Structure formats: C-alpha cells, structure tokens
Amino acid sequence: MPLTLVTGPANSGKARHVLDEVRARLAEGPVLVVPNPGDVARYRRELAGGGAVFGAQVVAFDRLASEIGERAGYPARVVDGVQRRRLVEVAVQRARPRALAQAAATPGFPLAAEGLIAELERSLVTPPRFTAALRAWGEAEPARAAYAADIAGLYATYRRLLDELGLVDRELYAWGALDALRAAPASWGRSPVFFYGFDDLTPLQRDAVETLLRVPGLAVTLALTYEPGRAAFATRAATVNELAPVAQRHVALPARPDHYAPGSRAALHRLERGLFEDAPAGTPVDPAGALALLEGGSERAELELVAAEALALLRAGTAPAEIVVVHRSPAAQAELIEDVFGAYGVPLHLAIARPLARTALGRGLLGVLRAALLDGDTDDVLAWLRAPGVAEPRLADAVERDLRRRGCGRAQDALQTLRERGFGVEEVERLSAAMQDGPAGPLRALARLAGRLLAAPRRREAAVLAPAERLEAAAAVAVRGALDGLERLAAQDPALSPSPAELERTLASLEVHPPAPATGRAVEVRHPLAIRARRVRALLVCGLQEGTFPRAPLPDPFLGEEDRAAIARASGLRLLRHDDAFERERFLFYACVSRPEQRLVLSWRTGDDDGGPAIPSLFLEDVGDLFEPAALEAATRRRGLGQLTWAPEEAPTERERALAEVARGPRAPQPTIAPLRAHEVLEALRARPTISAGQLESYAGCPVKWLVEQLLRPDELEPDAEPLLRGGVAHRALEDVLAGVRERTGSARITQATLAQARELVREALERRERGAPLSTRPARRRVLRRRLEADLLAYLADLAQGKAPHEPRDFELAFGAGEDAQAAPLELEPGLAVAGRIDRIDVRPGSQEAVVVDYKGSSAPARARWAPDRRLQVGLYLLAVREALGLRPVAGLYQPLGGSRKPRGLVLSGAGVEGTTSTDVVDPETFERVLDEVRELAVQAAGALRAGRLEPRPEGCHWKGGGCAYPSVCRCEGR
C-alpha cells in the first residue's frame, strides 16, 4: 500500500512530477484524479502532448467513485441533482418539523437542508450517529432540544426515503463504492491512482485515498500545495500531518522560479514567496510588466479597465485561451461583465451557470407553466409569447399595449386577448389538460413543450446553431433532463410527483451551463476554485473588495459555530468548522496570484455605480508590502466614477477614441430639432379647417410635446395617468350633478336649499361615471381615489352653496367649432384660421348676456399674470369664443381647482360680482381687453408656426408636472 505524498509551494513542479509518473506507468492503466470536471480535458491534452495519448484515464472525483463502484460491483442507482432536491423537499414535508415549522414553509428551506445533508455525507456522518449527537446536545441544552430533534429528523427522514426507493445520492454512492472496495480490495486491479490539483481533501476524499491504500500493491500518489511554516498554507497543515505518517515516500519539492516568463520572473516569484509572510525575504523589485493594478471608481469603471487590459493583451499576441479573468462572485456581475467586454470587442466565455429564467426558452417555458397551472399574470403570458418562434413581435407588442392600457394583471385576461386576436393558445390549454393525465402528465407535456420552443425559431431548417442558440439548446437539455428525472421518481412513487408550485420552483432554480466555445477562441471568466490546477499566461483578478475577496463568512443556516462547538462538547462529534474562513480565503488568493506565467492584474473599485463607498481588499496591502510604493504607483491605472470617456491616447477602441476626441474638443452647439419637412404632413396641417384650443395651447407650451402627443400619437403602453382619469370623471360627474339639480329645481345654481340634492347626485354620478372610466387599474387604489374625489366634489359644491354670485350655471361641456355635438360655430381668429374647443361650464347672469367661463383643474390654477408668459391660451380663447361664437358678453374666465385650496384664478372684469377671486386677477375693462388681445395674438402666432411645421424645444412648459422635458430623446434639449 505505498503512498507517495508530493508537496511543495505553487509552481514547484508538482504537476511535472505527477504527469511524468503517469507517463512512466502507462502500461498499468493509471488514473489521474483532478478537482474539477473542467480540468479533465486540459490534462488529457497535457498527457497527449507528452506522448501519452492512450492508456491513462483523467477523471474528476465523482468519476473516480463511479470507476471504483463499477470495478467493485456496486450497482446502486444514483439520483441526479434535481431528483435529490425533490427528495429533500419530500423529506422536509414528511419530517414535520415543529421548532422549524415556520422556516420549513419557506421556498429556500429545502436548498439549505440539502446543503447540510451533503456536508454530513461528505463528512461520513451516519443518521444514527448524527441523531445521537444532537440528542446529547439537546439534553445538555434543553432550550435547543426541539430544534436539535428537527434537524436530526430531517437527515434521518431523507436517508430513510432513499433507502425505501433503493436510491443513493452522489456522496452516498462514493461512500458505498468505497465500502464495496474495502470488501473486495483486489477488484480494483493494479491501476495506480494519482491525485493532483487538490488544495485539501474532504473526509470522503480522504477516505477514498485510505481505501485505495488497502488495495494490495497499489501505488497512490497525492500532490498537495503545501510548504511548512508558510502562513498561506495554515489550513492545509492538518491534512498533510495526517497523511505524512502513512506515506511510504514524501517528496517535498522546493520553490522554483523557472515557471515564470523571464521578464516577469523576479516580480511574480517574489510575490509567490513573500505573500502573507511577516518578513518577506529579498529586496523589493520593480513589478513593471509583470504586475498591473487597476482602480475603478465604480463597478463599471473597474470592468472597463479590466476589459481594456484584456484587449491590450490580445493585441500584443496573447492567445485568448491564455487569458483568464477571475472573480470571486462572477454570477453577481455576469450581465455587466458581458456588456462591458462585448462593447470592447473582447471574445468572452463566462463559464458560470445561468438560471433557467435568463434564457428565452426558460422564460417562455416558465411563463406557460405559471399561466396554465398556477395563478399566473400577464407577464407570464407575454414571456411565452416573446419566446423565439412563438409569435410575431408585433403581436406581443399589441397585446402588451392592450393589457397595460386596461390595467389587466391576470394571465387569463392575456389569454382571452390573444383569443380575440385569433391567436391560438393551445400550448397553454394542452398543459392545463395534462393535469388529468396523472402525476407525470404535466412533466411529459412540459418536456415536449421545451422541445417545441427550441425548434420553433428554426422549424424545418437544418441550421448550425449560433452561440446564443447553443445556450438555448443547453437550456432545453437541462429542462428535459430535470423533467425526465422527476418522471422517474413519480413512476416509483406517485406521491413524489411535484405539485405545480413545486415544479415551478424546481425549474426556476434550474441552472444552465453555457456550452464552451471552440478551444482557444475566447477569454474565460472563472471562479478562483476553477483555476487551482491550471497554468495561464495572464491572469486578471477582479473584485478585490472587502466582503467579496476575501468573502465574508456566511453563517450556516442550521448549525452555527457555537452550535457545532456545543455538539462536539456534548457528544464528541466534530462537524466541519467555518471559523478558519479567512485563512481559506488567503490560500485561495495565493493560489490565484501564483497561476500566471507572465502577467498578473489585480483590480478593485473605490465605490459602486450609485456613488457609495467600497473598501479595497486587505490582500492588496499584502501585495503592496512586497514592492516599492513608487513602483506600484507607476503600475496603477485609475478610472473614476464620473469618467465617461478615456484620454484619447489611452482609449482601447476606435469608438472610445472618437468619443474621447469629441469630449476633449470644443463644445459643439446644442442640437436644435429640425422643422417638419414631409410635404404630405405640411399639406395636412395647412388644410386643417379648425385647430382645437387644446392643440394651440399644447403647441405654444412646447412644440415638441405637441409633435409627440398630438401629431405622432404613439400607442401608450401604460394606462392613462391617474390625474387625467380623475379629471375626466370629475368633469362628467359635475355635469350630471348640475344638470340634475336644474332638472329637479329649474335652476342649476347650488344653494343651501339644493345642496342636499346635489350631494345625493354626486354619489350617484360618481358611481355611474367611475364604473365606465375607472380612476385606477389597481382596485385598492381605485377605491381610495374615488373616496378622495367624492370628498373634493362635495367640498366644492359646499363652496358654491355658500356663495352669492349673480351668475348661474347654464351650459356644461359645450362644444364649439367642430364635431357632431358642436353647439356653436368656430371662433374665427383671422381669415382662414378657426378654433374649436369644449368649454367645461358657462355661467350666465339671468336676464343678462354676462358670462363667466369656468375650466376645471386638478389642484392648482394659473393666475392671469402668467397666461402670456406661460402660454396659457385655453380660457382666453374660450372667452373670445363666448363673445364671438355665442354672442355673450364675457366678464370672467376662471381656472377652477377641484382639489387643494379650490381657489379660482384667472381673468375677472372689475364689477362682475365674481366671488372668491384674487385681487390681482381683477382688472379694469382696458386691461381685460388687452389680455384677450394678447391671447389672440399668441394663438395666431402658434397656429402659423404649427401649420408651417416649426419645432422648438421648450422644456420649461413641457412636462405636466411643472417643468422639465417630457421627451428628451426626441428634442435633445439637455434639460434647458
């Protein structure tokens, strides 16, 4: 049972020693075991490069367990990851925890339980041993007894469920295979086993080594990165000290600098030798060329520096496969990484799993599932509709517009809209019907649907899939595999079939591994653990922030450090401790920075994209201790948070260089929107017989706003704004109330005697009008808005009842100039220019021609003095229309707020007897006429410019909320 233990620091030649041994023993069928499945192909190529094309196996640890099981005759059936997750869910349900009952009902509980179970199995802890240990803990600490019983019950129930089904999970298979080999050690044969690239061994992996050592005459070689006395290897000492006494041979390799390229050797070798040492040996060296430091002011700024560095390496002749970007949490920044590297033209392979919902196929499939089997919403139907090949994008856009305008939220509303448009929803209906086909019915239906969604964009084509389509194919494969596994469980026991909600959670958590590009075609983004056994020419380590790298230790969901210590005291069971997390992070950083042969890049950020501060990693200080500060500063590049462009001489791409030149040069004149030029449009504008007062005011306020809202009229995706909906209901309700009072009493005047009737009519009118035009698409908010509007209208009617104005409401919503309901001729501003409109209310003095124009507003009203400066034309034009089209004598034009202070503002002729107005709005006859002349002149000017198609940004009068450009992408006014 000879064990050869090979130790040494990084780059001491451990790989060369192991691979040479493998090549020397090809005739015996050696097996090389590496940490990650991704390393298998790489080491096969290395062996082949040295002539070992046949005769040797390269496997990850899971495949070693399978090989042991096959040779030892261990025939167990292994569950895959999805099946295991489902069995944990069932175990949680069957265990019926009491102390953990509330937590067990949350979606994340089974995932946490699965992690604990896997840890126990890797630690070779049996359910009886765990149950006894937690019982002892509960007896020692009675307050924790129920909690301990729940945790022990989860593990025992899961293992009992596996036994009942005759299944094992991945860890149990390895455990059982090793038991089988111990029972028949000769079954392995004489194939020597070599372990390389492992930083440490789990108890299960250590058991595999010890079991193989029991095979008579079998040679086992284990290479570990370790050097006595080094701070970086503190967490590895226990493993080496346990294995060294049983090793027949211990090869301790010394540090060697020849791993590094000649120009980088001094700096990178010093970094490997001195990192984390209290007194680094040797004199400081210049890191130029070998080490670069990048400081970004934000997440994006940091990644832009990294992408520019990768692009420079590619242009200098470094092959993409020789450049690796390392990030401690790559999934958290996956989209930003892809965006930045794509913008800089760097070919990239982000080698991390994606959630199924990040694929078009996954979104569509989950949408169908939620719409058919759960309480789905319109977004779910739209996700299915927008999946490639399902429907034309125009249909999805139209359906989304209709649903959003109507405020529909239920999936059934969306499906009915599709049916009304003649689009079949058979996919959803088939999935709903599949519930009648037994527990496996929905699983089979979803599997078939995944295949159809994958084929839909390329139906009847024999096309080679593009890179993005290969990800969709991987998603389809992952879905089919998951559903097939669940179906096999259901075939064994129908009770194991997931409910629709459980199925949705399972698929939503499913991970899709993107297919790797052709060898050597892209820069890879990897987690630090994925490069431990790999050499690269250039390594770029990103995200060196406190809390990210080193990562803050995550508390265990079930058993914290104090709990584990208490269990050990009470029972002697020593579970894995996490209190050495920082030392593990130090080793991981050491393993990273020792990988590159020629160039190492370390990057961090000083803030986030919102301007919040970020703390650089303390590991950077450890690196800084090895080099002269001035030399490190010279090797540092910085890019600030607000730095939108590069310096022209540093710009990494032609596009960035062009932007930099523009930014450096003189400020270009602000672009002005061009006038309308289309002949047909201009002819149509000139040919309009009338122009509405609302259009004239809109154009006078901001021609660009008029262009978008009155001429282009884009389809809105959202419902009308609530203030607009409120105004429409309020106008109609007041019309009904005043007309109703007149019908009952002969006069529309609101007095104390008629106020009670008016209040009754308000409630009736609001119920009728709001039913046809809801104030909001959200039911709860709709009720609140209706009560608030009712209160405002009742308060306004009370104001009218207290007044003694001589004028009485006569006309409501009076249309003039255009439309089938027009009650008066248009207002002729000048020959060939007529104005139409609709006046909210006209009050007339009985026995006289005096008229007051009232225009309802929300909660504020413009004063008369602001009409011309703010281009408020409507009430002034209505006053002119009352005089010239209706033959009345206008004495006041008021904007009447229905909320807020309800104080009317506008233009009032002195002596008119109008109550409640502001003194500055009351003017003499000459001023009254001058204001109307100003309104007429502004309207004529606006009409002429409108008909000529002239456009001018006026952001100060654009947005209805009071200032600011409503359509900056159209007028490009830059907020002026």
Side-chain angles (χ1 to χ4, degrees):
M1 52 174 207
L3 169 65
T4 299
L5 182 62
V6 181
T7 61
N11 309 317
S12 57
K14 296 185 298 296
R16 182 184 307 169
H17 181 93
V18 170
L19 294 181
D20 286 347
E21 288 288 324
V22 171
R23 295 185 185 102
R25 308 189 71 161
L26 285 180
E28 300 173 58
V31 178
L32 174 62
V33 187
V34 293
N36 306 301
D39 296 323
V40 171
R42 185 169 301 107
Y43 278 93
R44 283 176 181 163
R45 289 195 297 271
E46 288 215 21
L47 286 171
V53 179
F54 303 107
Q57 291 188 68
V58 183
V59 298
F61 181 77
D62 287 345
R63 182 63 193 124
L64 172 66
S66 298
E67 185 72 16
I68 292 173
E70 291 169 8
R71 296 192 187 190
Y74 180 60
R77 292 181 297 153
V78 185
V79 296
D80 60 27
V82 172
Q83 290 174 317
R84 176 177 181 155
R85 181 73 50 81
R86 177 60 190 151
L87 292 174
V88 171
E89 289 178 344
V90 174
V92 171
Q93 295 165 6
R94 294 185 180 180
R96 297 181 180 177
R98 293 177 300 162
L100 287 169
Q102 188 173 1
T106 60
F109 188 87
L111 179 62
E114 183 183 0
L116 175 63
I117 290 169
E119 176 196 329
L120 293 171
E121 292 177 342
R122 285 194 298 269
S123 300
L124 304 178
V125 178
T126 64
R129 178 73 180 94
F130 188 60
T131 300
L134 266 68
R135 185 180 296 117
W137 177 38
E139 292 171 354
E141 299 184 25
R144 305 289 278 169
Y147 181 82
D150 279 354
I151 298 174
L154 287 176
Y155 185 32
T157 304
Y158 169 75
R159 290 287 295 272
R160 189 163 52 247
L161 180 58
L162 284 177
D163 292 341
E164 291 171 359
L165 296 169
L167 301 172
V168 295
D169 57 27
R170 186 177 60 186
E171 286 81 9
L172 288 181
Y173 181 86
W175 197 344
L178 292 174
D179 286 341
L181 181 59
R182 277 189 284 268
S187 61
W188 175 258
R190 303 298 298 271
S191 304
V193 183
F194 299 84
F195 291 84
Y196 174 73
F198 292 85
D199 299 329
D200 203 356
L201 299 178
T202 67
L204 182 57
Q205 291 169 340
R206 198 174 308 166
D207 187 45
V209 173
E210 294 171 354
T211 302
L212 288 168
L213 289 175
R214 297 182 184 181
V215 176
L218 180 64
V220 179
T221 299
L222 173 62
L224 292 174
T225 302
Y226 177 74
E227 188 176 12
R230 291 285 301 274
F233 306 127
T235 58
R236 305 299 179 256
T239 300
V240 174
N241 292 336
E242 287 179 10
L243 291 173
V246 300
Q248 186 182 65
R249 188 164 62 115
H250 185 174
V251 180
L253 298 174
R256 297 174 57 178
D258 55 356
H259 162 79
Y260 306 104
S264 305
R265 185 168 298 159
L268 295 183
H269 185 58
R270 174 168 175 73
L271 179 59
E272 186 277 318
R273 299 311 300 152
L275 187 63
F276 302 132
E277 296 301 305
D278 292 334
T283 58
V285 297
D286 188 350
L291 176 65
L293 305 177
L294 307 177
E295 178 188 285
S298 66
E299 297 162 75
R300 188 177 191 91
E302 179 195 350
L303 289 174
E304 286 175 337
L305 286 167
V306 174
E309 177 74 21
L311 186 60
L313 288 167
L314 291 172
R315 288 173 174 168
T318 306
E322 290 296 322
I323 304 172
V324 174
V325 177
V326 168
H327 199 293
R328 190 68 175 84
S329 303
Q333 289 193 310
E335 293 181 357
L336 184 58
I337 292 171
E338 289 180 324
D339 179 42
V340 172
F341 277 67
Y344 283 24
V346 178
L348 187 73
H349 175 52
L350 196 57
I352 61 170
R354 318 290 176 89
L356 180 66
R358 294 277 184 90
T359 66
L361 183 144
R363 287 191 295 273
L365 193 71
L366 290 170
V368 173
L369 190 160
R370 292 164 182 153
L373 304 183
L374 298 169
D375 188 17
D377 56 28
T378 57
D379 287 340
D380 295 322
V381 177
L382 290 170
W384 163 61
L385 205 60
R386 293 190 186 280
V390 173
E392 290 289 334
R394 288 175 297 180
L395 173 63
D397 292 343
V399 171
E400 182 175 4
R401 180 194 63 224
D402 292 349
L403 295 171
R404 291 188 181 279
R405 292 283 295 165
R406 287 156 42 198
C408 298
R410 300 184 312 131
Q412 293 306 314
D413 296 327
L415 294 173
Q416 183 57 35
T417 300
L418 285 170
R419 293 186 185 100
E420 292 169 357
R421 290 179 171 271
F423 186 82
V425 294
E426 293 83 3
E427 299 282 13
V428 183
E429 293 168 347
R430 274 197 293 266
L431 187 53
S432 296
M435 289 294 292
Q436 310 303 318
D437 297 336
L443 304 176
R444 297 192 192 102
L446 275 171
R448 290 192 294 267
L449 178 55
R452 287 195 292 272
L453 288 176
L454 177 63
R458 300 289 192 144
R459 190 175 288 113
R460 300 182 184 278
E461 296 181 18
V464 176
L465 297 181
E469 292 172 316
R470 289 199 292 273
L471 180 61
E472 299 299 318
V477 170
V479 168
R480 292 293 295 266
L483 295 172
D484 288 348
L486 292 174
E487 186 177 351
R488 289 194 298 273
L489 284 181
Q492 280 195 261
D493 182 354
L496 299 178
S497 180
S499 68
E502 291 167 337
L503 178 58
E504 188 274 338
R505 286 199 299 269
T506 297
L507 293 181
S509 64
L510 192 64
E511 292 187 332
V512 179
H513 293 270
T519 303
R521 298 284 181 86
V523 172
E524 290 185 81
V525 179
R526 292 281 185 179
H527 187 279
L529 289 172
I531 64 162
R532 293 172 295 174
R534 181 174 176 181
R535 294 188 295 274
V536 296
R537 188 172 176 186
L539 187 75
L540 292 73
V541 185
C542 305
L544 285 168
Q545 312 298 135
E546 286 298 311
T548 301
F549 201 178
R551 187 173 66 183
L554 299 176
D556 187 275
F558 291 101
L559 298 173
E561 296 305 307
E562 292 183 3
D563 293 336
R564 290 169 185 253
I567 292 170
R569 289 193 300 268
S571 68
L573 176 62
R574 298 175 60 188
L575 299 175
L576 178 67
R577 300 292 299 272
H578 303 288
D579 47 9
D580 60 351
F582 183 71
E583 285 74 15
R584 293 178 182 275
E585 291 291 300
R586 290 210 299 182
F587 180 82
L588 199 57
F589 182 69
Y590 166 85
C592 283
V593 300
S594 61
R595 293 299 86 204
E597 299 172 353
Q598 183 170 352
R599 188 163 177 81
L600 172 67
V601 179
L602 306 177
S603 77
W604 68 96
R605 55 186 172 85
T606 57
D608 57 29
D609 286 346
D610 296 324
I615 302 174
S617 172
L618 289 175
F619 291 164
L620 294 166
E621 295 185 14
D622 292 304
V623 173
D625 290 341
L626 304 173
F627 302 98
E628 288 287 351
L632 283 179
E633 181 61 30
T636 302
R637 296 179 67 191
R638 294 180 173 84
R639 185 165 173 77
L641 171 63
Q643 202 169 337
L644 301 180
T645 62
W646 297 78
E649 62 277 7
E650 297 179 351
T653 66
E654 288 300 323
R655 180 179 182 275
E656 293 294 333
R657 187 174 294 107
L659 291 173
E661 293 291 352
V662 170
R664 173 175 286 189
R667 183 77 171 169
Q670 182 171 307
T672 302
I673 190 168
L676 298 175
R677 295 193 181 95
H679 175 73
E680 297 83 353
V681 174
L682 292 174
E683 283 297 316
L685 291 175
R686 296 189 192 103
R688 286 187 177 184
T690 59
I691 303 176
S692 74
Q695 283 221 34
L696 282 176
E697 183 170 280
S698 174
Y699 182 90
C702 179
V704 177
K705 181 181 180 183
W706 165 84
L707 169 70
V708 175
E709 297 180 356
Q710 304 293 334
L711 190 62
L712 299 179
R713 295 180 179 272
D715 289 334
E716 294 287 345
L717 289 179
E718 301 297 330
D720 290 333
E722 289 178 354
L724 185 62
L725 295 170
R726 171 191 160 101
V729 173
H731 283 50
R732 299 292 183 268
L734 282 175
E735 178 185 3
D736 292 349
V737 170
L738 296 175
V741 169
R742 182 165 59 194
E743 182 179 343
R744 294 184 181 188
T745 66
S747 170
R749 186 192 301 273
I750 304 298
T751 65
Q752 292 296 336
T754 61
L755 181 58
Q757 297 182 55
R759 286 174 172 168
E760 178 184 342
L761 289 170
V762 161
R763 296 184 178 93
E764 295 175 359
L766 268 182
E767 182 178 355
R768 181 174 57 257
R769 294 294 188 177
E770 202 272 340
R771 190 185 310 120
L775 292 171
S776 176
T777 59
R778 290 178 285 173
R781 185 161 178 78
R782 178 181 172 184
R783 290 191 294 271
V784 172
L785 292 174
R786 179 172 165 177
R787 286 197 297 269
R788 185 175 297 169
L789 177 57
E790 180 181 332
D792 287 342
L793 294 183
L794 290 174
Y796 174 58
L797 292 175
D799 293 344
L800 292 179
Q802 292 176 359
K804 301 188 183 320
H807 304 90
E808 176 182 316
R810 190 189 80 175
D811 299 303
F812 318 113
E813 301 296 326
L814 184 140
F816 66 92
E820 296 180 358
D821 61 342
Q823 301 166 254
L827 167 65
E828 294 285 343
L829 288 181
E830 64 177 14
L833 175 58
V835 175
R838 184 180 296 272
I839 304 173
D840 290 346
R841 197 176 92 212
I842 301 175
D843 296 353
V844 179
R845 184 194 288 264
S848 165
Q849 296 297 304
E850 283 186 9
V852 176
V853 169
V854 178
D855 190 76
Y856 300 129
K857 290 296 178 188
S859 58
S860 62
R864 180 267 311 170
R866 300 302 309 169
W867 284 13
D870 293 346
R871 300 177 180 89
R872 297 281 190 165
L873 306 179
Q874 273 189 279
V875 168
L877 290 173
Y878 293 162
L879 290 171
L880 293 173
V882 162
R883 172 191 290 169
E884 299 176 21
L886 298 179
L888 300 174
R889 185 168 71 86
V891 295
L894 298 173
Y895 289 101
Q896 174 61 61
L898 297 178
S901 68
R902 298 189 303 280
K903 188 174 186 62
R905 299 301 304 269
L907 179 65
V908 181
L909 183 63
S910 177
V914 178
E915 297 180 335
T917 58
T918 302
S919 59
T920 54
D921 290 339
V922 181
V923 299
D924 55 44
E926 291 77 12
T927 304
F928 191 90
E929 292 302 321
R930 188 180 73 253
V931 171
L932 294 184
D933 289 342
E934 289 176 350
V935 169
R936 183 188 295 272
E937 182 180 354
L938 286 171
V940 170
Q941 292 174 357
L946 184 154
R947 286 175 164 176
R950 292 198 290 273
L951 300 175
E952 173 190 343
R954 292 175 188 164
E956 68 279 359
C958 182
H959 203 284
W960 66 272
K961 288 185 178 179
C965 181
Y967 305 102
S969 61
V970 177
C971 72
R972 294 168 292 176
C973 65
E974 297 186 0
R976 66 185 176 95

